[in-house]
Amino acid sequence: MALRSLGLRRPRTAVTAVLLAVLSMLLAAPAAHATSATLVHCEGSFTVTYDPPLTNTPRLTDVTFHNDLDSCLTGGVTSGDASGEFSAIRSCTTLDLPPHPATTTFSWNTGASSTIAFSLSTVDRLVNGTTVVTSYGTVSQGFDQGAQAIHTAVQPQLNPIACASSGVAQLTGPDVLQLI
């Protein structure tokens, strides 16, 4: 789907539109979630660093991530963040799922934290080249323990010239975390 066919001129606007479309599908999908109150809804950005950088050749890569949720609309928190790292076979040419099970701890501005055990993820490459990674889990410890978690991150289209040469060392994009 071309940016012009969306009526959008800037890539950031297109990514935001894609993220909003994905979120509206998530919120409308399961009937059980449709009746649940949202405990926490946070938006922000993520950064993923690859060492060595991603190329067209799959290889063992150290992946470091940081989520910066700087706008929490509900839930008694106003911001939060999480970081982590893992090693996996990665490349520009594959749609890779995050490793599971995976545990990530989000630290909130209030001093509280939520440890989320993610057990399932989906990865979709959209027509415009962006990749949407949606992970599902449960808050296993801390703030809102027992709540269901949905984390959605939109990765920008990879630069094919960089993938064929020196590689892609870092990606940054929007993300959303919901606890319901």
Side-chain angles (χ1 to χ4, degrees):
M1 180 176 348
L3 292 177
R4 288 180 196 252
S5 68
L6 288 172
L8 303 171
R9 295 181 191 169
R10 297 182 348 187
R12 175 174 267 177
T13 306
V15 170
T16 302
V18 168
L19 183 61
L20 290 174
V22 168
L23 284 174
S24 67
M25 288 186 295
L26 287 173
L27 292 174
H33 293 281
T35 59
S36 298
T38 299
L39 301 173
V40 172
H41 177 100
C42 295
E43 300 176 4
S45 62
F46 73 92
T47 301
V48 180
T49 304
Y50 302 99
D51 184 25
L54 296 180
T55 64
N56 290 329
T57 304
R59 58 186 171 178
L60 184 61
T61 305
D62 293 327
V63 180
T64 303
F65 64 88
H66 181 77
N67 299 93
D68 183 20
L69 301 171
D70 57 3
S71 177
C72 298
L73 307 175
T74 59
V77 296
T78 58
S79 63
D81 65 0
S83 296
E85 58 186 53
F86 61 91
S87 295
I89 304 295
R90 294 289 190 247
S91 78
C92 288
T93 59
T94 58
L95 293 176
D96 297 310
L97 290 171
H100 288 301
T103 301
T104 302
T105 299
F106 286 84
S107 299
W108 304 110
N109 65 294
T110 60
S113 62
S114 299
T115 300
I116 302 173
F118 290 104
S119 57
L120 173 71
S121 288
T122 60
V123 178
D124 296 299
R125 177 126 337 130
L126 304 181
V127 177
N128 67 1
T130 60
T131 300
V132 179
V133 180
T134 305
S135 299
Y136 304 89
T138 303
V139 178
S140 59
Q141 189 176 1
F143 182 72
D144 282 340
Q145 183 172 351
Q148 298 301 303
I150 302 170
H151 180 253
T152 303
V154 180
Q155 299 175 352
Q157 181 176 9
L158 298 174
N159 180 329
I161 295 170
C163 287
S165 59
S166 61
V168 176
Q170 189 175 75
L171 292 175
T172 299
D175 70 344
V176 173
L177 176 68
Q178 285 192 298
L179 303 181
I180 52 177

